Amino acid sequence: MKTLLILTLALASCSTTSTTGAPGPRWSSSKTYAPKDTIVLRSVADWPDGVGTIRKEHGQTVIDGGQMWRISGSKMPGKCDQKESNEPVIRIQMPNVTLRGFEIYESKDGITTNKPGTVFEDLIFLKICEDAINPMAGSDGGSVRRCYFKGAYDKTLQWNAAKDVHITNNVFIGGINAIRLMGTSSDDVEANRFYGNETAIQVTRKGVLNVRPAINLFYGVGQKFKTEDGGVINFK
């Protein structure tokens, strides 16, 4: 047990990035839906027919891919790059939606939402363009949990101008920034695993993060925590 603890601490303190030992995704998709334009979700009627199931669950509208569906942005305009003008593959514009059990592939500018209570759960991202998930102002009380991210060129998860967000039990492999909180506050960034990110968690633009650092695990990460532009990290 002592040897294992020493090894874990050594990996977590590496100054160069490495994804050695990173796990693979828990499942793979068998069906693909590739829209030519952004799926703009204002009501359940806007969701494409036959792509997963929709149901109510504990006050949430759950859109569930059943760990079978890949939603691909490959047919949408633009390239898989870091241009801010690219459109997301999904734009959630209704509150209290849970998006669950999909693989999201080549989403040009991240799945985004400006509504409260959005939950991203059990999603897989294997090719990330500008961002994987990019919630905006108004997305208070949202959650990202049990998701798997690999293949980011730049940022993976960027949360903008929101309060009380939850980021738990996710795997982040590679990329410049795994989590960036911009003007966003959170007391619940826990039980995540980071592999080979240049920066694991960044807080900027007066965002505030209260975190127990030992609850997250870092392997071959360049920098675990970083603040800039008035961002604050308080270690509990």
Side-chain angles (χ1 to χ4, degrees):
M1 181 64 71
K2 183 177 180 180
T3 302
L4 178 60
L5 177 60
I6 292 172
L7 177 60
T8 301
L9 291 173
L11 285 168
S13 64
C14 289
S15 60
T16 57
T17 61
S18 172
T19 59
T20 301
R26 293 182 292 111
W27 53 271
S28 59
S29 55
S30 57
K31 301 178 180 180
T32 298
Y33 177 75
K36 294 182 179 180
D37 296 298
T38 299
I39 301 169
V40 181
L41 189 66
R42 300 183 184 91
S43 71
V44 293
D46 295 323
W47 190 255
D49 292 338
V51 180
T53 60
I54 301 176
R55 63 182 179 276
K56 284 288 188 179
E57 187 177 290
H58 306 298
Q60 291 284 113
T61 300
V62 178
I63 303 174
D64 193 344
Q67 300 184 355
M68 294 186 296
W69 279 96
R70 165 188 282 186
I71 298 179
S72 172
S74 60
K75 293 185 179 181
M76 292 178 60
K79 296 180 180 180
C80 190
D81 55 25
Q82 283 74 61
K83 290 184 178 179
E84 296 290 344
S85 59
N86 283 340
E87 288 294 315
V89 71
I90 302 171
R91 188 186 303 275
I92 299 172
Q93 294 187 342
M94 55 182 289
N96 303 315
V97 170
T98 295
L99 191 66
R100 175 190 296 161
F102 288 94
E103 178 188 342
I104 310 298
Y105 182 82
E106 202 173 306
S107 178
K108 297 298 193 296
D109 192 29
I111 303 175
T112 189
T113 180
N114 61 354
K115 298 299 181 182
T118 306
V119 177
F120 303 91
E121 183 177 272
D122 292 318
L123 303 177
I124 291 176
F125 298 81
L126 295 180
K127 188 175 182 181
I128 300 166
C129 303
E130 168 61 8
D131 306 305
I133 297 175
N134 184 24
M136 308 304 290
S139 59
D140 300 342
S143 299
V144 178
R145 58 194 185 215
R146 298 195 303 274
C147 293
Y148 179 95
F149 304 90
K150 183 178 181 180
Y153 299 113
D154 188 4
K155 305 176 297 295
T156 300
L157 168 57
Q158 177 165 298
W159 215 310
N160 303 277
K163 297 180 291 184
D164 189 30
V165 306
H166 309 270
I167 305 170
T168 57
N169 291 285
N170 303 289
V171 173
F172 298 88
I173 302 173
I176 295 175
N177 287 289
I179 297 172
R180 179 186 281 178
L181 302 179
M182 297 184 65
T184 293
S185 63
S186 178
D187 293 329
D188 191 20
V189 178
E190 297 196 343
N192 301 289
R193 289 179 287 164
F194 301 89
Y195 297 84
N197 322 101
E198 289 190 23
T199 300
I201 301 172
Q202 181 184 39
V203 183
T204 183
R205 297 189 185 178
K206 298 183 180 181
V208 178
L209 171 63
N210 300 308
V211 64
R212 294 182 293 171
I215 299 299
N216 296 287
L217 298 178
F218 306 88
Y219 303 93
V221 168
Q223 190 171 356
K224 297 177 184 177
F225 299 96
K226 181 179 179 180
T227 60
E228 62 181 21
D229 295 336
V232 175
I233 298 178
N234 300 311
F235 295 109
K236 297 188 284 186

